[in-house]
Amino acid sequence: MDPFTTRLARLAGTISDGGIASRRLTIGRIRNYAPRSDIACAGEPPRAVRVVVSGWACRYKLVPDGRRQILALLLPGDVCDGHDGLDEIDHTIGALSAVVLGEVDPAAYTVAVRTDDRIGQTLRRMVSIEAAIQREWTFNVARRDTREGLAHLFCELYHRLDAIGLVDGGGYAMPLTQIELADALGGTPVHVNRILQVLRRERLLVLTKRRLAIPDLRALEGVALFDPAYLHQYTTAATGMAKS
């Protein structure tokens, strides 16, 4: 099952309901994007409902001097930009790794939402969970220190990726650079590097060039004061692993 169908199935409550929803929301055109390329820029009109099929993307905003704040990470199964009636996008969507996107026709999306209550409820739940994640990210930048914030981000990614079958052997692919981690946390690459070394020395993570392993998820969650409840559908599998 593709990641988008997996997410719909979890949110709808059963695999069969998720399958029905995914057939009604057929992914049409497939587009490929190179790492660090822009998918959609602020000010552009929304042209389609885009779903991440594979790879990692992000939402971000820039200030005139080039500083960037990453606002959200978009993983396989996530919707990049819903058809919400806005005239233009107010942020930029960029690829962090090689990304494959599937497009859903906006008209078909609107019809599906209006004519099938299960689809409408499922997508509204998806939007509510994205808002809950955004609140945690705001708290990360505003109140958690860099050690707590990094630990929290790595725990969140573990749970989100585990829910779609992309955690293996207690770890997952990590395409983010130290600059991008700093952009997500509102810090500097130098400070992020320093804290990464601290977490390594504490044996809370093993970070190689393209993979992050978490030897003891519960210990890292303790550092982050992490409560996975805000992820809702992501809790069952990963929390069970954390307690094992």
Side-chain angles (χ1 to χ4, degrees):
M1 200 181 323
D2 69 84
F4 184 52
T5 302
T6 299
R7 286 209 67 195
L8 289 172
R10 281 177 174 269
L11 289 169
T14 69
I15 297 299
S16 60
D17 279 353
I20 291 170
S22 66
R23 285 195 295 272
R24 294 291 301 278
L25 293 176
T26 303
I27 293 176
R29 180 180 297 177
I30 297 293
R31 292 183 179 271
N32 295 277
Y33 296 87
R36 279 78 205 177
S37 64
D38 285 340
I39 294 167
C41 294
E44 292 181 357
R47 296 184 179 89
V49 178
R50 286 171 277 210
V51 178
V52 181
V53 176
S54 65
W56 290 31
C58 70
R59 306 182 198 278
Y60 73 86
K61 299 193 81 163
L62 290 171
V63 291
D65 65 6
R67 286 174 293 157
R68 178 175 70 165
Q69 180 67 43
I70 291 179
L71 306 169
L73 293 177
L74 302 169
L75 306 178
D78 289 343
V79 177
C80 287
D81 47 350
H83 183 55
D84 51 16
L86 297 179
D87 294 330
E88 61 183 39
I89 302 169
D90 61 8
H91 58 275
T92 298
I93 302 169
L96 295 167
S97 66
V99 170
V100 177
L101 290 186
E103 295 185 353
V104 178
D105 178 71
Y109 180 91
T110 300
V111 170
V113 170
R114 289 178 177 174
T115 60
D116 191 315
D117 287 341
R118 288 171 299 179
I119 293 177
Q121 291 171 2
T122 298
L123 292 172
R124 284 191 293 273
R125 182 170 172 80
M126 185 180 290
V127 170
S128 295
I129 291 169
E130 290 171 356
I133 292 173
Q134 194 69 65
R135 287 190 289 272
E136 284 295 322
W137 275 53
T138 300
F139 194 72
N140 254 358
V141 172
R143 284 291 177 261
R144 292 188 178 102
D145 63 31
T146 305
R147 181 170 175 267
E148 294 167 340
L150 269 175
H152 198 279
L153 178 60
F154 292 151
C155 290
E156 177 185 294
L157 288 169
Y158 184 101
H159 284 264
R160 291 174 65 186
L161 291 165
D162 189 44
I164 52 175
L166 294 180
V167 168
D168 178 31
Y172 50 84
M174 172 49 63
L176 301 180
T177 66
Q178 290 181 17
I179 291 174
E180 289 160 349
L181 288 171
D183 287 347
L185 295 170
T188 67
V190 171
H191 188 53
V192 164
N193 178 64
R194 187 180 301 122
I195 300 304
L196 283 173
Q197 298 310 315
V198 171
L199 293 173
R200 280 170 161 161
R201 287 196 299 270
E202 293 173 333
R203 299 183 179 180
L204 291 169
L205 57 85
V206 178
L207 183 60
T208 57
K209 187 175 182 181
R210 296 191 178 277
R211 178 176 169 81
L212 182 140
I214 301 174
D216 187 339
L217 179 60
R218 186 158 53 184
L220 191 65
E221 288 179 337
V223 169
L225 304 176
F226 184 85
D227 181 354
Y230 74 98
L231 295 172
H232 300 281
Q233 89 275 25
Y234 295 118
T235 58
T236 304
T239 302
M241 292 181 68
K243 294 178 179 179
S244 62

